[in-house]
mmCIF file of all heavy atoms in Angstrom:
data_model
loop_
_atom_site.group_PDB
_atom_site.id
_atom_site.type_symbol
_atom_site.label_atom_id
_atom_site.label_comp_id
_atom_site.label_asym_id
_atom_site.label_seq_id
_atom_site.Cartn_x
_atom_site.Cartn_y
_atom_site.Cartn_z
ATOM 1 N N ARG D 350 -3.475 28.581 -22.685
ATOM 2 C CA ARG D 350 -3.829 27.668 -23.787
ATOM 3 C C ARG D 350 -5.343 27.531 -23.912
ATOM 4 O O ARG D 350 -5.890 26.419 -23.846
ATOM 5 C CB ARG D 350 -3.188 26.306 -23.533
ATOM 6 C CG ARG D 350 -3.632 25.653 -22.239
ATOM 7 C CD ARG D 350 -2.890 24.357 -21.957
ATOM 8 N NE ARG D 350 -1.647 24.611 -21.251
ATOM 9 C CZ ARG D 350 -0.676 23.717 -21.084
ATOM 10 N NH1 ARG D 350 -0.818 22.512 -21.567
ATOM 11 N NH2 ARG D 350 0.418 24.018 -20.443
ATOM 12 N N PRO D 351 -6.062 28.629 -24.085
ATOM 13 C CA PRO D 351 -7.536 28.552 -24.105
ATOM 14 C C PRO D 351 -8.081 27.629 -25.181
ATOM 15 O O PRO D 351 -9.188 27.100 -25.031
ATOM 16 C CB PRO D 351 -7.962 30.010 -24.336
ATOM 17 C CG PRO D 351 -6.765 30.683 -24.904
ATOM 18 C CD PRO D 351 -5.583 30.004 -24.297
ATOM 19 N N ASP D 352 -7.316 27.418 -26.257
ATOM 20 C CA ASP D 352 -7.782 26.517 -27.318
ATOM 21 C C ASP D 352 -7.715 25.058 -26.893
ATOM 22 O O ASP D 352 -8.312 24.194 -27.541
ATOM 23 C CB ASP D 352 -6.943 26.717 -28.584
ATOM 24 C CG ASP D 352 -5.467 26.428 -28.354
ATOM 25 O OD1 ASP D 352 -4.931 26.874 -27.319
ATOM 26 O OD2 ASP D 352 -4.853 25.750 -29.199
ATOM 27 N N ARG D 353 -7.002 24.770 -25.795
ATOM 28 C CA ARG D 353 -6.866 23.387 -25.330
ATOM 29 C C ARG D 353 -7.592 23.164 -24.001
ATOM 30 O O ARG D 353 -7.225 22.270 -23.228
ATOM 31 C CB ARG D 353 -5.380 23.009 -25.227
ATOM 32 C CG ARG D 353 -4.751 22.875 -26.600
ATOM 33 C CD ARG D 353 -3.341 22.336 -26.556
ATOM 34 N NE ARG D 353 -2.389 23.293 -25.999
ATOM 35 C CZ ARG D 353 -1.926 24.355 -26.658
ATOM 36 N NH1 ARG D 353 -2.344 24.608 -27.894
ATOM 37 N NH2 ARG D 353 -1.060 25.171 -26.098
ATOM 38 N N VAL D 354 -8.619 23.971 -23.745
ATOM 39 C CA VAL D 354 -9.457 23.802 -22.559
ATOM 40 C C VAL D 354 -10.873 23.456 -23.012
ATOM 41 O O VAL D 354 -11.421 24.084 -23.922
ATOM 42 C CB VAL D 354 -9.468 25.077 -21.692
ATOM 43 C CG1 VAL D 354 -10.363 24.884 -20.471
ATOM 44 C CG2 VAL D 354 -8.042 25.439 -21.258
ATOM 45 N N ILE D 355 -11.448 22.434 -22.371
ATOM 46 C CA ILE D 355 -12.759 21.921 -22.774
ATOM 47 C C ILE D 355 -13.477 21.420 -21.526
ATOM 48 O O ILE D 355 -12.854 21.195 -20.492
ATOM 49 C CB ILE D 355 -12.574 20.785 -23.815
ATOM 50 C CG1 ILE D 355 -13.878 20.458 -24.547
ATOM 51 C CG2 ILE D 355 -11.947 19.535 -23.177
ATOM 52 C CD1 ILE D 355 -13.676 19.602 -25.793
ATOM 53 N N GLY D 356 -14.768 21.265 -21.602
ATOM 54 C CA GLY D 356 -15.532 20.702 -20.490
ATOM 55 C C GLY D 356 -15.883 19.246 -20.753
ATOM 56 O O GLY D 356 -16.317 18.898 -21.859
ATOM 57 N N THR D 357 -15.662 18.404 -19.761
ATOM 58 C CA THR D 357 -16.101 17.002 -19.835
ATOM 59 C C THR D 357 -16.919 16.733 -18.577
ATOM 60 O O THR D 357 -16.381 16.360 -17.542
ATOM 61 C CB THR D 357 -14.905 16.026 -19.916
ATOM 62 O OG1 THR D 357 -13.957 16.342 -18.893
ATOM 63 C CG2 THR D 357 -14.227 16.108 -21.272
ATOM 64 N N HIS D 358 -18.208 16.947 -18.675
ATOM 65 C CA HIS D 358 -19.086 16.817 -17.520
ATOM 66 C C HIS D 358 -19.551 15.366 -17.407
ATOM 67 O O HIS D 358 -20.590 14.978 -17.942
ATOM 68 C CB HIS D 358 -20.271 17.778 -17.659
ATOM 69 C CG HIS D 358 -21.167 17.777 -16.469
ATOM 70 N ND1 HIS D 358 -22.488 18.151 -16.528
ATOM 71 C CD2 HIS D 358 -20.936 17.447 -15.168
ATOM 72 C CE1 HIS D 358 -23.037 18.038 -15.338
ATOM 73 N NE2 HIS D 358 -22.113 17.608 -14.493
ATOM 74 N N PHE D 359 -18.733 14.558 -16.724
ATOM 75 C CA PHE D 359 -19.111 13.179 -16.428
ATOM 76 C C PHE D 359 -20.259 13.192 -15.435
ATOM 77 O O PHE D 359 -20.316 14.026 -14.523
ATOM 78 C CB PHE D 359 -17.940 12.420 -15.810
ATOM 79 C CG PHE D 359 -16.833 12.066 -16.752
ATOM 80 C CD1 PHE D 359 -15.867 13.012 -17.096
ATOM 81 C CD2 PHE D 359 -16.725 10.793 -17.288
ATOM 82 C CE1 PHE D 359 -14.823 12.697 -17.948
ATOM 83 C CE2 PHE D 359 -15.689 10.461 -18.153
ATOM 84 C CZ PHE D 359 -14.735 11.414 -18.484
ATOM 85 N N MET D 360 -21.168 12.249 -15.572
ATOM 86 C CA MET D 360 -22.264 12.096 -14.622
ATOM 87 C C MET D 360 -21.874 11.051 -13.570
ATOM 88 O O MET D 360 -21.009 10.202 -13.798
ATOM 89 C CB MET D 360 -23.545 11.673 -15.338
ATOM 90 C CG MET D 360 -23.930 12.582 -16.491
ATOM 91 S SD MET D 360 -24.271 14.295 -15.988
ATOM 92 C CE MET D 360 -24.147 15.159 -17.557
ATOM 93 N N ASN D 361 -22.519 11.121 -12.445
ATOM 94 C CA ASN D 361 -22.201 10.246 -11.319
ATOM 95 C C ASN D 361 -23.181 9.067 -11.268
ATOM 96 O O ASN D 361 -24.384 9.279 -11.362
ATOM 97 C CB ASN D 361 -22.292 11.064 -10.020
ATOM 98 C CG ASN D 361 -21.860 10.282 -8.808
ATOM 99 O OD1 ASN D 361 -20.948 9.479 -8.850
ATOM 100 N ND2 ASN D 361 -22.538 10.512 -7.695
ATOM 101 N N PRO D 362 -22.656 7.833 -11.132
ATOM 102 C CA PRO D 362 -21.252 7.417 -11.062
ATOM 103 C C PRO D 362 -20.650 7.278 -12.456
ATOM 104 O O PRO D 362 -21.238 6.619 -13.337
ATOM 105 C CB PRO D 362 -21.330 6.068 -10.344
ATOM 106 C CG PRO D 362 -22.697 5.542 -10.679
ATOM 107 C CD PRO D 362 -23.603 6.723 -10.844
ATOM 108 N N ALA D 363 -19.497 7.877 -12.652
ATOM 109 C CA ALA D 363 -18.886 7.966 -13.983
ATOM 110 C C ALA D 363 -18.715 6.616 -14.672
ATOM 111 O O ALA D 363 -18.992 6.500 -15.867
ATOM 112 C CB ALA D 363 -17.547 8.701 -13.882
ATOM 113 N N PRO D 364 -18.280 5.551 -13.975
ATOM 114 C CA PRO D 364 -18.068 4.279 -14.684
ATOM 115 C C PRO D 364 -19.343 3.640 -15.226
ATOM 116 O O PRO D 364 -19.276 2.796 -16.117
ATOM 117 C CB PRO D 364 -17.424 3.380 -13.611
ATOM 118 C CG PRO D 364 -16.823 4.320 -12.628
ATOM 119 C CD PRO D 364 -17.773 5.481 -12.596
ATOM 120 N N LEU D 365 -20.494 4.042 -14.690
ATOM 121 C CA LEU D 365 -21.752 3.393 -15.079
ATOM 122 C C LEU D 365 -22.576 4.214 -16.065
ATOM 123 O O LEU D 365 -23.673 3.799 -16.446
ATOM 124 C CB LEU D 365 -22.583 3.094 -13.834
ATOM 125 C CG LEU D 365 -21.911 2.221 -12.767
ATOM 126 C CD1 LEU D 365 -22.884 1.934 -11.640
ATOM 127 C CD2 LEU D 365 -21.383 0.927 -13.362
ATOM 128 N N LYS D 366 -22.071 5.369 -16.451
ATOM 129 C CA LYS D 366 -22.802 6.229 -17.383
ATOM 130 C C LYS D 366 -22.167 6.162 -18.760
ATOM 131 O O LYS D 366 -20.947 6.244 -18.900
ATOM 132 C CB LYS D 366 -22.803 7.681 -16.877
ATOM 133 C CG LYS D 366 -23.451 7.870 -15.512
ATOM 134 C CD LYS D 366 -24.934 7.550 -15.531
ATOM 135 C CE LYS D 366 -25.574 7.821 -14.172
ATOM 136 N NZ LYS D 366 -27.007 7.570 -14.167
ATOM 137 N N ASP D 367 -22.991 6.019 -19.782
ATOM 138 C CA ASP D 367 -22.487 5.795 -21.129
ATOM 139 C C ASP D 367 -22.222 7.073 -21.912
ATOM 140 O O ASP D 367 -21.631 7.031 -22.991
ATOM 141 C CB ASP D 367 -23.464 4.928 -21.926
ATOM 142 C CG ASP D 367 -23.555 3.513 -21.367
ATOM 143 O OD1 ASP D 367 -22.531 3.015 -20.870
ATOM 144 O OD2 ASP D 367 -24.650 2.928 -21.411
ATOM 145 N N ALA D 368 -22.673 8.203 -21.405
ATOM 146 C CA ALA D 368 -22.508 9.462 -22.141
ATOM 147 C C ALA D 368 -21.875 10.522 -21.248
ATOM 148 O O ALA D 368 -21.991 10.481 -20.022
ATOM 149 C CB ALA D 368 -23.860 9.959 -22.662
ATOM 150 N N VAL D 369 -21.193 11.459 -21.883
ATOM 151 C CA VAL D 369 -20.556 12.580 -21.196
ATOM 152 C C VAL D 369 -20.963 13.860 -21.917
ATOM 153 O O VAL D 369 -20.902 13.938 -23.153
ATOM 154 C CB VAL D 369 -19.011 12.446 -21.209
ATOM 155 C CG1 VAL D 369 -18.349 13.677 -20.592
ATOM 156 C CG2 VAL D 369 -18.575 11.180 -20.469
ATOM 157 N N GLU D 370 -21.394 14.850 -21.154
ATOM 158 C CA GLU D 370 -21.710 16.162 -21.724
ATOM 159 C C GLU D 370 -20.377 16.892 -21.966
ATOM 160 O O GLU D 370 -19.664 17.213 -21.022
ATOM 161 C CB GLU D 370 -22.595 16.951 -20.753
ATOM 162 C CG GLU D 370 -23.046 18.298 -21.292
ATOM 163 C CD GLU D 370 -23.909 19.053 -20.282
ATOM 164 O OE1 GLU D 370 -23.651 18.937 -19.057
ATOM 165 O OE2 GLU D 370 -24.827 19.757 -20.715
ATOM 166 N N VAL D 371 -20.046 17.111 -23.228
ATOM 167 C CA VAL D 371 -18.792 17.764 -23.599
ATOM 168 C C VAL D 371 -19.099 19.207 -23.984
ATOM 169 O O VAL D 371 -19.937 19.458 -24.862
ATOM 170 C CB VAL D 371 -18.112 17.024 -24.764
ATOM 171 C CG1 VAL D 371 -16.890 17.798 -25.269
ATOM 172 C CG2 VAL D 371 -17.702 15.621 -24.318
ATOM 173 N N ILE D 372 -18.416 20.148 -23.339
ATOM 174 C CA ILE D 372 -18.697 21.564 -23.554
ATOM 175 C C ILE D 372 -17.562 22.198 -24.334
ATOM 176 O O ILE D 372 -16.411 22.233 -23.875
ATOM 177 C CB ILE D 372 -18.908 22.310 -22.221
ATOM 178 C CG1 ILE D 372 -20.010 21.624 -21.401
ATOM 179 C CG2 ILE D 372 -19.266 23.764 -22.472
ATOM 180 C CD1 ILE D 372 -19.517 20.628 -20.374
ATOM 181 N N ARG D 373 -17.887 22.692 -25.494
ATOM 182 C CA ARG D 373 -16.902 23.369 -26.344
ATOM 183 C C ARG D 373 -17.153 24.870 -26.282
ATOM 184 O O ARG D 373 -18.198 25.354 -26.715
ATOM 185 C CB ARG D 373 -17.011 22.877 -27.789
ATOM 186 C CG ARG D 373 -15.979 23.483 -28.708
ATOM 187 C CD ARG D 373 -16.131 23.007 -30.139
ATOM 188 N NE ARG D 373 -15.013 23.472 -30.951
ATOM 189 C CZ ARG D 373 -14.882 23.226 -32.253
ATOM 190 N NH1 ARG D 373 -15.809 22.503 -32.877
ATOM 191 N NH2 ARG D 373 -13.842 23.678 -32.914
ATOM 192 N N SER D 374 -16.190 25.603 -25.746
ATOM 193 C CA SER D 374 -16.314 27.054 -25.702
ATOM 194 C C SER D 374 -15.955 27.627 -27.073
ATOM 195 O O SER D 374 -15.397 26.918 -27.925
ATOM 196 C CB SER D 374 -15.387 27.637 -24.636
ATOM 197 O OG SER D 374 -14.087 27.859 -25.157
ATOM 198 N N PRO D 375 -16.233 28.906 -27.319
ATOM 199 C CA PRO D 375 -15.830 29.512 -28.600
ATOM 200 C C PRO D 375 -14.316 29.478 -28.818
ATOM 201 O O PRO D 375 -13.852 29.615 -29.954
ATOM 202 C CB PRO D 375 -16.336 30.957 -28.472
ATOM 203 C CG PRO D 375 -17.467 30.883 -27.496
ATOM 204 C CD PRO D 375 -17.055 29.824 -26.511
ATOM 205 N N LEU D 376 -13.546 29.283 -27.735
ATOM 206 C CA LEU D 376 -12.090 29.265 -27.833
ATOM 207 C C LEU D 376 -11.518 27.861 -28.014
ATOM 208 O O LEU D 376 -10.344 27.704 -28.349
ATOM 209 C CB LEU D 376 -11.480 29.892 -26.569
ATOM 210 C CG LEU D 376 -11.953 31.307 -26.224
ATOM 211 C CD1 LEU D 376 -11.376 31.754 -24.884
ATOM 212 C CD2 LEU D 376 -11.564 32.286 -27.323
ATOM 213 N N THR D 377 -12.322 26.836 -27.769
ATOM 214 C CA THR D 377 -11.841 25.452 -27.834
ATOM 215 C C THR D 377 -11.528 25.064 -29.276
ATOM 216 O O THR D 377 -12.373 25.205 -30.159
ATOM 217 C CB THR D 377 -12.892 24.488 -27.261
ATOM 218 O OG1 THR D 377 -13.202 24.855 -25.919
ATOM 219 C CG2 THR D 377 -12.361 23.056 -27.280
ATOM 220 N N GLY D 378 -10.310 24.559 -29.494
ATOM 221 C CA GLY D 378 -9.898 24.197 -30.842
ATOM 222 C C GLY D 378 -10.489 22.886 -31.320
ATOM 223 O O GLY D 378 -10.865 22.014 -30.522
ATOM 224 N N ALA D 379 -10.553 22.728 -32.644
ATOM 225 C CA ALA D 379 -11.086 21.505 -33.235
ATOM 226 C C ALA D 379 -10.241 20.294 -32.837
ATOM 227 O O ALA D 379 -10.773 19.202 -32.616
ATOM 228 C CB ALA D 379 -11.143 21.640 -34.751
#
Side-chain angles (χ1 to χ4, degrees):
R350 60 185 87 193
D352 60 316
R353 289 187 290 284
V354 179
I355 195 166
T357 49
H358 184 204
F359 287 81
M360 307 298 162
N361 185 36
L365 303 184
K366 300 295 183 178
D367 294 326
V369 175
E370 183 181 35
V371 173
I372 305 95
R373 183 181 188 181
S374 86
L376 305 175
T377 303

